[in-house]
Amino acid sequence: MKPYFRILAAGALMTACTTSNNEMAEMPLAHKKDTLKVDSSAIKEEKFDYISENFADLRVLRYNVKDFDKMPVKIKTLLYYLYQAALSGRDIVYDQNYKYNLAIRKTLEAIVGSYKGDKESEEYKNFLVYAKRVWFSNGIHHHYSMDKFVPECSPEFFKQLVNQTDSTLLPLGKGETKTQFAEMISKQMFDPKIAAKKVSLDPKNDLVKSSAVNMYDGVTEKEVTDFYTAMTSKPHPTETTEEGKVVTKVPMYGLNSRLVKENGKLVEKTWKVGGLYTQSIEKIVYWLDKAVTVAENDKQKDALQKLIKFYKTGDAKDFDDYNIAWVQDTESSVDVVNGFIEVYQDPLGKRGSFESVVSVKDFEASKRIAAIGKEAQWFENNSSILPQHKKKNVVGISAKVINAVVESGDAAPSTPIGINLPNNEWIRELHGSKSVNLGNIVEAYDQAAGGSVVNEFYYNDEIKKRVTECASLADKLHTDMHEVIGHASGQLEDGVKSSSETLKNYANALEEGRADLVALYYLMDKKLIELGVMPSLDYGKAAYDEYITKGMIVQLSRIKPGKDIEEAHMRNRLMVSAWVYEKGKKDNVIEKKVENGKTYFVVNDYEKLRVLFGDLLREIQRIKSQGDFKAGKALIENYGVKVDQALHKEVLQRYSSLKMAPYQGFIQPKLTPVMEGDKIIDVKIEYPNNFTEQMMQYGKEYGLLPAYN
């Protein structure tokens, strides 16, 4: 999962998670001052131009791949093949997000690529901003709020653009005229009532019918639930852990398919070679086959071959086999996530969005996260959760810091900053998980950060100073603990099904909250000082200051007036913050202060707050371990959804004065092979700085799917 989580990462539930760029870099902070030494290469990186452009509520950044030029040719070649496999799947996530997304994107690209008119007119500028928003969000819905956004140019101007465009460049249907097409596609773009919400989590509605995602067709929420309940209720193989717990090996049914109704029957349309999205998947397989030929070792080769098999069969059991092999490959310097991974874009949390993250290990930076991973059993033993929910033998946790080389699909342009996978709970229990912190992504956020958020939203000079000096390392430690310890901790009680089955549409937010709470609980523990990864508890205090301020105040800058919170990570942060605020009122643990018309939430007692974090962690772990849907729903609905409208109005006014974009994403590096005949003798890396040019290039080179699938 991602500390998107996409979180991120992210990611991504890979019952793991990904901490997303938009989690850690929630709002850019000015703090970027680690106590760790910086080597000469890092000093050189400061000259790298991390900021590209701003538009709408978005800021586009760039990231650097440290020492790429110094890597062996074989490693560069492997990275290049995996880079191509990643981008070959880019179209898939567009179609998954909404059935008209590809037709809209191809139309926008046709216009941008051929328009000869006045590009300085307000109408065209507004049109281009809309195109950029579609590229950034992989479709016509905001990547974070899930709300549909509409162009600020007029429908008449857009139709004029379509009619001026060469018909051969447009995704016209058979026998369809440009005028007819322009009318149809403009309704999809401009009518706010059509496909208003990509992912709806409002329990008053049928979640499937009220969501625009292209993962279901003609089915109801109840039909989907009953369909998969029948599948998971069938007998499955079991395996006994060393401590005697019987684990049932249930595949993640539905992860790679669209569920539709045909002739009155429910049918899965599988995403595989020869199935849905075959044009893209065939290319992914082509490049993965090439990657196998230059694999670093047998374990990496085995994992890649099993991934190829899964793409060919579409069998969920083959995906489990791949994940087991992937977890066991802990020695390779190159790693890749490629597949249908995180389930945040499915209102029922079953179907995985395509994503890929290609990376190479940062050996020096990995020492911090590895030190934490080695103590996983200590953290489990000393957790605040109930004894019966603690793992007696934490297995297979590997952790490292990586440098992303390219990201694609649901992991781009908005990217995770941490990843913990796989998401299948039984694999995690029997075989463990892999956790990563995307070091160069975090570095890019740090380098691009500004200080105005700290000055505006933190209460006094003491807190501002602590956040400025300590929060950068504290953020990294939070991501490390969230991914490495948080998602890997705890266990289900015997006979309890996976969270996607028991906690349903609340599973994602609860899981992210659980992982956050593990991190928060230990960020005020001297164990991290003993491990040498944290200089003092001031870093833990800075993490608490940040978490409460972001959860209660700053993240509201992302919500439209009058709206509730629906995104899982935002629900998680508000739920955690609001719960501990309420439970600590008697002892004034967190104090709400209003001065000069500005609201602040100030931590008065960090030790008591730690106890409250531990109490909530115990309860959420119980909810997960016992599959207590009613209690999980109550936590999210009572603490994580509703917005204080007066406070919201205040925050929007304060944040707008900063003139900062609340969301950020990335232009990807470009890899180009140097050939000698048919042999790669080197791979060069470039860092494009024009978002539009990269998106147009991707559309031309990786636009592999038809407009309608």
Side-chain angles (χ1 to χ4, degrees):
M1 299 152 80
K2 310 168 184 181
Y4 266 174
F5 277 316
R6 48 207 134 148
I7 290 294
L8 178 241
L13 292 160
M14 295 180 208
T15 275
C17 143
T18 37
T19 300
S20 95
N21 59 341
N22 292 308
E23 308 319 317
M24 172 268 183
E26 178 73 40
M27 314 293 153
L29 293 180
H31 48 52
K32 300 314 177 182
K33 204 178 179 186
D34 275 346
T35 60
L36 304 180
K37 288 187 177 180
V38 187
D39 63 20
S40 59
S41 63
I43 294 173
K44 292 178 183 177
E45 286 175 20
E46 291 180 4
K47 299 178 181 178
F48 186 85
D49 189 1
Y50 288 92
I51 301 173
S52 174
E53 64 173 306
N54 295 272
F55 53 88
D57 58 352
L58 306 168
R59 181 161 74 154
V60 180
L61 308 178
R62 302 158 75 230
Y63 63 88
N64 196 3
V65 184
K66 184 172 64 176
D67 294 332
F68 183 88
D69 292 338
K70 299 177 183 177
M71 296 176 191
V73 173
K74 184 178 179 181
I75 293 296
K76 290 183 184 179
T77 303
L78 175 59
L79 289 169
Y80 172 70
Y81 290 150
L82 295 175
Y83 161 94
Q84 290 287 2
L87 293 173
S88 295
R90 175 177 177 262
D91 270 5
I92 295 174
V93 77
Y94 277 87
D95 195 72
Q96 289 177 315
N97 285 343
Y98 184 50
K99 63 182 179 181
Y100 289 99
N101 272 342
L102 282 174
I104 291 170
R105 195 197 78 198
K106 289 174 185 291
T107 301
L108 299 177
E109 290 169 351
I111 294 169
V112 172
S114 63
Y115 181 64
K116 304 299 183 184
D118 181 7
K119 295 184 180 180
E120 296 302 316
S121 72
E122 286 303 307
E123 285 275 64
Y124 185 80
K125 286 181 179 179
N126 288 336
F127 161 79
L128 187 59
V129 167
Y130 177 78
K132 291 179 182 180
R133 296 189 71 185
V134 170
W135 289 324
F136 193 98
S137 295
N138 296 316
I140 64 172
H141 298 89
H142 195 281
H143 73 288
Y144 215 74
S145 73
M146 308 293 181
D147 293 325
K148 180 179 181 178
F149 52 83
V150 299
E152 293 188 8
C153 65
S154 67
E156 292 73 24
F157 178 75
F158 172 73
K159 292 176 186 176
Q160 179 183 339
L161 291 176
V162 173
N163 283 309
Q164 291 174 352
T165 302
D166 187 333
S167 297
T168 62
L169 302 177
L170 296 169
L172 303 181
K174 187 176 181 179
E176 188 176 33
T177 67
K178 278 198 291 188
T179 301
Q180 292 170 330
F181 174 77
E183 187 66 30
M184 181 277 295
I185 208 72
S186 65
K187 284 183 179 180
Q188 292 295 327
M189 293 166 52
F190 285 89
D191 190 335
K193 295 180 181 179
I194 296 176
K197 196 81 174 177
K198 180 169 70 171
V199 180
S200 173
L201 296 177
D202 186 346
K204 297 190 295 292
N205 300 323
D206 183 303
L207 299 184
V208 171
K209 287 187 172 183
S210 58
S211 298
V213 288
N214 191 24
M215 297 177 176
Y216 303 97
D217 188 15
V219 299
T220 66
E221 178 182 347
K222 185 178 186 305
E223 287 175 325
V224 176
T225 301
D226 290 346
F227 182 82
Y228 289 107
T229 297
M231 296 178 73
T232 58
S233 297
K234 294 177 180 178
H236 290 87
T238 61
E239 188 171 332
T240 304
T241 64
E242 290 184 9
E243 56 266 25
K245 181 182 177 183
V246 178
V247 177
T248 304
K249 299 192 282 190
V250 182
M252 297 180 73
Y253 292 118
L255 187 69
N256 62 312
S257 69
R258 181 187 300 160
L259 188 64
V260 305
K261 186 176 285 187
E262 292 184 348
N263 300 318
K265 293 184 178 181
L266 297 181
V267 178
E268 286 188 302
K269 300 290 187 178
T270 305
W271 306 327
K272 64 174 184 174
V273 172
L276 276 182
Y277 306 141
T278 187
Q279 300 93 332
S280 285
I281 296 174
E282 286 172 22
K283 275 292 186 182
I284 294 171
V285 168
Y286 171 83
W287 289 109
L288 290 177
D289 271 328
K290 285 187 168 293
V292 168
T293 66
V294 288
E296 294 180 70
N297 52 57
D298 289 341
K299 286 186 177 181
Q300 185 181 67
K301 182 177 181 180
D302 181 52
L304 290 171
Q305 289 174 330
K306 284 182 166 62
L307 177 58
I308 291 168
K309 181 181 179 183
F310 162 69
Y311 273 130
K312 290 180 176 180
T313 67
D315 190 326
K317 294 178 182 177
D318 287 334
F319 190 62
D320 285 347
D321 290 341
Y322 156 68
N323 277 302
I324 293 168
W326 179 77
V327 165
Q328 293 171 346
D329 174 21
T330 59
E331 298 176 1
S332 300
S333 61
V334 171
D335 209 345
V336 61
V337 172
N338 187 303
F340 307 109
I341 310 296
E342 302 291 357
V343 297
Y344 299 111
Q345 310 304 326
D346 179 353
L348 301 186
K350 294 189 177 300
R351 288 167 160 72
S353 298
F354 174 82
E355 72 172 69
S356 187
V357 177
V358 179
S359 63
V360 62
K361 184 176 180 179
D362 185 325
F363 288 91
E364 184 62 31
S366 292
K367 292 177 182 178
R368 181 191 73 242
I369 196 171
I372 291 171
K374 288 178 182 177
E375 296 294 329
Q377 190 65 60
W378 185 93
F379 289 116
E380 186 80 352
N381 294 344
N382 290 276
S383 173
S384 65
I385 65 178
L386 295 172
Q388 61 268 36
H389 298 152
K390 295 180 181 181
K391 290 178 178 176
K392 303 299 185 293
N393 181 29
V394 179
V395 298
I397 290 181
S398 65
K400 60 186 176 183
V401 175
I402 62 173
N403 287 319
V405 176
V406 70
E407 298 169 304
S408 175
D410 198 38
S414 176
T415 168
I417 59 168
I419 300 173
N420 176 275
L421 293 172
N423 279 330
N424 196 322
E425 189 68 31
W426 75 261
I427 296 177
R428 299 167 66 81
E429 287 201 38
L430 293 174
H431 302 280
S433 62
K434 283 163 64 170
S435 298
V436 298
N437 181 312
L438 281 72
N440 59 339
I441 299 297
V442 174
E443 174 69 12
Y445 284 128
D446 283 357
Q447 293 294 334
S452 51
V453 171
V454 175
N455 291 327
E456 178 61 43
F457 290 103
Y458 291 81
Y459 178 62
N460 58 29
D461 289 342
E462 178 187 353
I463 297 172
K464 291 174 184 178
K465 183 175 185 293
R466 182 167 56 236
V467 169
T468 299
E469 294 181 348
C470 301
S472 179
L473 178 57
D475 287 343
K476 293 169 186 173
L477 289 169
H478 184 280
T479 300
D480 293 346
M481 295 296 298
H482 175 110
E483 298 296 342
V484 180
I485 306 301
H487 285 301
S489 68
Q491 63 181 1
L492 304 180
E493 293 187 5
D494 289 344
V496 176
K497 293 184 177 181
S498 68
S499 296
S500 64
E501 300 293 323
T502 59
L503 304 180
K504 302 178 183 179
N505 50 303
Y506 298 102
N508 290 343
L510 288 167
E511 176 62 19
E512 294 308 311
R514 192 181 71 87
D516 267 356
L517 286 162
V518 171
L520 291 166
Y521 184 71
Y522 284 114
L523 278 164
M524 279 296 292
D525 196 303
K526 291 182 179 179
K527 180 69 172 179
L528 296 184
I529 300 175
E530 294 172 10
L531 291 175
V533 299
M534 188 170 77
S536 73
L537 291 181
D538 280 346
Y539 291 79
K541 290 180 179 179
Y544 282 21
D545 294 330
E546 275 202 298
Y547 197 89
I548 297 301
T549 298
K550 288 180 178 179
M552 297 294 282
I553 300 179
V554 184
Q555 72 170 2
L556 296 181
S557 63
R558 298 176 160 193
I559 305 297
K560 293 181 180 178
K563 293 283 189 177
D564 290 337
I565 293 178
E566 292 200 58
E567 200 280 330
H569 296 84
M570 294 180 72
R571 283 185 163 192
N572 135 45
R573 282 193 299 274
L574 178 59
M575 177 269 294
V576 170
S577 301
W579 190 94
V580 295
Y581 171 63
E582 179 185 287
K583 301 303 179 184
K585 276 186 176 180
K586 180 180 177 182
D587 295 325
N588 202 29
V589 176
I590 302 170
E591 183 176 358
K592 181 180 179 181
K593 294 177 180 285
V594 180
E595 293 186 5
N596 300 319
K598 295 182 178 181
T599 302
Y600 306 89
F601 286 87
V602 182
V603 179
N604 289 325
D605 193 322
Y606 293 91
E607 288 297 334
K608 287 185 178 179
L609 180 53
R610 185 195 183 206
V611 172
L612 290 172
F613 283 142
D615 291 343
L616 183 55
L617 170 60
R618 183 186 308 112
E619 173 59 7
I620 294 181
Q621 182 63 61
R622 183 200 65 79
I623 288 169
K624 178 180 179 179
S625 294
Q626 296 178 350
D628 189 344
F629 175 81
K630 183 177 179 181
K633 176 182 178 180
L635 261 183
I636 298 300
E637 292 291 344
N638 292 338
Y639 294 97
V641 175
K642 296 299 178 183
V643 175
D644 180 326
Q645 294 303 316
L647 176 61
H648 189 200
K649 182 179 180 181
E650 173 200 322
V651 171
L652 290 175
Q653 291 174 342
R654 292 167 67 183
Y655 197 85
S656 65
S657 69
L658 305 180
K659 301 186 184 306
M660 296 175 63
Y663 302 98
Q664 302 179 92
F666 288 90
I667 297 174
Q668 303 298 316
K670 181 179 180 181
L671 301 189
T672 305
V674 178
M675 307 298 295
E676 190 175 85
D678 59 356
K679 181 182 179 181
I680 295 177
I681 60 171
D682 197 8
V683 177
K684 298 296 184 181
I685 191 166
E686 301 173 62
Y687 299 99
N689 58 16
N690 188 302
F691 182 63
T692 298
E693 287 180 3
Q694 180 163 88
M695 294 298 98
M696 291 294 289
Q697 177 220 335
Y698 282 179
K700 181 179 180 180
E701 295 185 18
Y702 304 104
L704 301 171
L705 293 180
Y708 307 101
N709 296 274

